[in-house]
Amino acid sequence: MEHFDCVVIGGGMVGAASALSLAQLGLKVALVEQFAPKSFSLEQPLDLRVSAISLASQNLLKQLGAWQQVLNWRTSPYKRLGVWEHDSAYVEFNAEDIKQEHLGDIVENRLIQLALWQQIDITDNVHSFSPDSLISLTQEDGKANLTLTNTKITAKLVIGADGAQSKVRQMSGIGLTGWDYQQSAMLINVETSLAQQDITWQRFSPTGPVAFLPLPGKSSLGGYASLVWYHQRDEITRLSRLSNAQLGMEVLKHFPQQLGDIKVIDKGAFPLTRRHANSYQHKRVLLVGDAAHTINPMAGQGVNLGFKDVAALQHVIADAIAHGEAWHDEKVLARYEQKRRKDNLLMMSTMDGLYASFSHPSPVVKAFRNLALLAVNKVPFLNTTIKNKALEYACGL
Ligand SMILES: Cc1cc2nc3c(=O)[nH]c(=O)nc-3n(C[C@H](O)[C@H](O)[C@H](O)COP(=O)(O)OP(=O)(O)OC[C@H]3O[C@@H](n4cnc5c(N)ncnc54)[C@H](O)[C@@H]3O)c2cc1C
């Protein structure tokens, strides 16, 4: 039976980054993934699943040697972020305000995963088991025993990066708190009459926000974009059943004018759920990414939190190795949760606060939230301090 220092279950964006970051410390790592990602070529249409990758996440991906490959393939950087409900209370954040060239990039999830997998392929001390799947996990005498579909392995540390329905979490007996939001999100890839833009925007309304994320490339109409439409579940179900042409007409009716003309090319609906693992650790098992937390994607922070988990875990283990500690000691591993739990909770609560405030139907609450947005834009003190702090926080700086 082969023995590893660490086994990472789940080779999505966060799991692949975890495996590489632990290998960088000289540890012998196994990565187990049930579905290998489809390889990439430029002719392929844009994937539906995209993420706004913050500057902090880009720094981690650079350190792991994956970011340049993502840039070589395709991304859409954005410099501005527009937020409003009432037209007169439009707030715009600009990268220049925090002395950055841009605020982030919109990237297809699969490209990030593939760029990380390319690095894994050339890293001697990571062994990939894929396609393979976790069947059982037990812990005894300071080591973990894992049965995969095709083999059995043991490890000093197991990282659960197997997403929201994490088997690692369930098999370790770690409970969850969470709830389903009333809203679902529909992702809609469109051709736009406007060329690629340097802005991402979100207009709030009591039924849920609508958002625009620029995508790379030139289309017959002009450019491409990913639209996100949040609404009550029933309405999203109704919209999902429409043809692309019918959905396009609904989009033009409900999105703000700055969208321009569009043609729908792809669509998909996703339920929104908040989950937080009651603990990120059970002995020598740790949870990262969506296995530990899922949040409302309104501000595009889900995978960015996952990448912060990866950076924190690497830091904790590197520090232990540097100080001659047993890096796999449960007391050392506990430092990871100490570093991450509060930060994840703060972001989850901030998103819930925004969700509750902007979905409140009362005209009084609506007036207050628009006044607050107006104040952020017009009052100099708020403009330079709160606005820039919020922006730095969103960029992970
Ligand atoms: C509508 C929507 C929009 C979003 N937009 C953004 C955004 O703009 N920015 C952002 O930061 N985040 C965004 N997110 C969140 C982001 O998509 C997730 O946080 C991110 O994908 C989580 O990555 P992960 O690697 O933790 O999990 P996953 O992507 O779920 O990966 C888990 C992996 O584990 C594998 N796996 C599962 N079980 C097993 C098993 N038993 N054995 C082996 N392998 C297994 C799976 O095949 C998968 O590859 C959005 C989410 C939604 C729903």
Side-chain angles (χ1 to χ4, degrees):
M1 200 182 311
E2 197 168 359
H3 181 74
F4 293 88
D5 290 320
C6 315
V7 175
V8 180
I9 304 294
M13 296 184 281
V14 175
S18 305
L20 267 178
S21 71
L22 295 169
Q24 280 185 337
L25 304 180
L27 303 178
K28 183 181 171 192
V29 180
L31 177 67
V32 181
E33 168 57 50
Q34 56 190 355
F35 307 119
K38 193 172 86 180
S39 61
F40 174 73
S41 75
L42 265 176
E43 303 77 51
Q44 288 169 353
L46 291 149
D47 288 351
L48 203 52
R49 292 304 306 268
V50 299
S51 297
I53 300 301
S54 72
L55 299 178
S57 298
Q58 293 181 21
N59 286 339
L60 176 76
L61 293 168
K62 275 180 204 159
Q63 182 213 311
L64 298 176
W67 184 242
Q68 189 55 49
Q69 181 60 74
V70 173
L71 292 179
N72 293 348
W73 282 330
R74 57 190 184 197
T75 78
S76 186
Y78 57 93
K79 284 177 72 171
R80 296 178 295 141
L81 170 64
V83 186
W84 77 103
E85 180 176 22
H86 193 275
D87 285 347
S88 62
Y90 175 80
V91 179
E92 189 169 290
F93 300 85
N94 194 310
E96 284 166 12
D97 298 340
I98 54 166
K99 299 182 177 50
Q100 298 291 332
E101 280 178 17
H102 59 273
L103 296 174
D105 282 61
I106 310 296
V107 192
E108 293 152 86
N109 292 359
R110 179 173 57 111
L111 300 196
I112 296 172
Q113 187 189 12
L114 275 172
L116 290 163
W117 278 49
Q118 276 194 357
Q119 286 304 306
I120 287 171
D121 282 348
I122 55 168
T123 305
D124 287 341
N125 51 330
V126 186
H127 182 99
S128 295
F129 293 89
S130 180
D132 214 330
S133 202
L134 177 69
I135 303 296
S136 75
L137 164 65
T138 56
Q139 297 191 63
E140 58 178 9
D141 304 332
K143 76 172 179 356
N145 304 303
L146 299 102
T147 304
L148 311 182
T149 315
N150 300 316
T151 187
K152 288 183 182 213
I153 52 179
T154 60
K156 291 188 183 111
L157 169 64
V158 176
I159 309 292
D162 49 346
Q165 308 295 338
S166 171
K167 266 195 181 175
V168 174
R169 188 183 64 222
Q170 291 161 28
M171 287 172 181
S172 306
I174 299 175
L176 270 183
T177 45
W179 58 81
D180 290 341
Y181 293 100
Q182 295 303 308
Q183 293 174 356
S184 288
M186 184 155 196
L187 301 183
I188 311 169
N189 278 5
V190 296
E191 290 187 13
T192 73
S193 56
L194 306 167
Q196 184 182 327
Q197 300 177 52
D198 70 350
I199 187 165
T200 172
W201 49 251
Q202 182 144 235
R203 191 192 65 189
F204 288 93
S205 82
T207 57
V210 292
F212 169 93
L213 291 78
L215 291 180
K218 285 188 184 145
S219 69
S220 53
L221 207 57
Y224 290 104
S226 165
L227 308 181
V228 195
W229 194 342
Y230 299 86
H231 212 297
Q232 300 297 319
R233 284 175 171 210
D234 292 351
E235 178 61 3
I236 294 293
T237 306
R238 183 188 75 79
L239 292 170
S240 311
R241 294 191 179 126
L242 300 179
S243 68
N244 284 357
Q246 289 168 326
L247 179 62
M249 285 192 286
E250 292 280 346
V251 166
L252 289 173
K253 227 190 281 171
H254 292 94
F255 275 61
Q257 277 177 351
Q258 41 269 78
L259 179 61
D261 194 17
I262 55 109
K263 182 178 156 203
V264 172
I265 49 178
D266 199 5
K267 59 184 188 289
F270 300 86
L272 301 181
T273 308
R274 172 187 161 132
R275 299 184 191 83
H276 202 187
N278 294 340
S279 166
Y280 297 173
Q281 177 182 13
H282 176 62
K283 298 181 187 170
R284 293 196 181 197
V285 168
L286 295 178
L287 302 178
V288 293
D290 276 21
H293 42 75
T294 62
I295 67 170
N296 191 317
M298 198 188 278
Q301 290 294 335
V303 77
N304 292 308
L305 291 184
F307 285 140
K308 281 175 131 185
D309 295 347
V310 173
L313 179 60
Q314 189 192 39
H315 188 263
V316 163
I317 294 188
D319 200 49
I321 293 172
H323 288 92
E325 291 178 276
W327 61 267
H328 42 79
D329 190 283
E330 285 173 37
K331 277 191 235 130
V332 171
L333 299 178
R335 293 175 199 154
Y336 157 71
E337 178 155 1
Q338 284 157 21
K339 273 181 178 281
R340 292 302 304 140
R341 192 168 191 89
K342 264 195 205 152
D343 185 49
N344 287 331
L345 197 57
L346 176 64
M347 184 61 85
M348 295 167 101
S349 310
T350 307
M351 288 310 106
D352 286 347
L354 276 176
Y355 172 79
S357 147
F358 278 95
S359 54
H360 203 291
S362 149
V364 179
V365 178
K366 182 174 175 178
F368 266 113
R369 63 192 179 227
N370 279 288
L371 273 175
L373 284 176
L374 202 62
V376 167
N377 226 14
K378 301 276 190 239
V379 179
F381 169 75
L382 292 180
N383 191 312
T384 49
T385 49
I386 293 186
K387 203 173 151 190
N388 290 358
K389 284 273 171 262
L391 195 53
E392 283 171 351
Y393 180 53
C395 292
L397 298 173

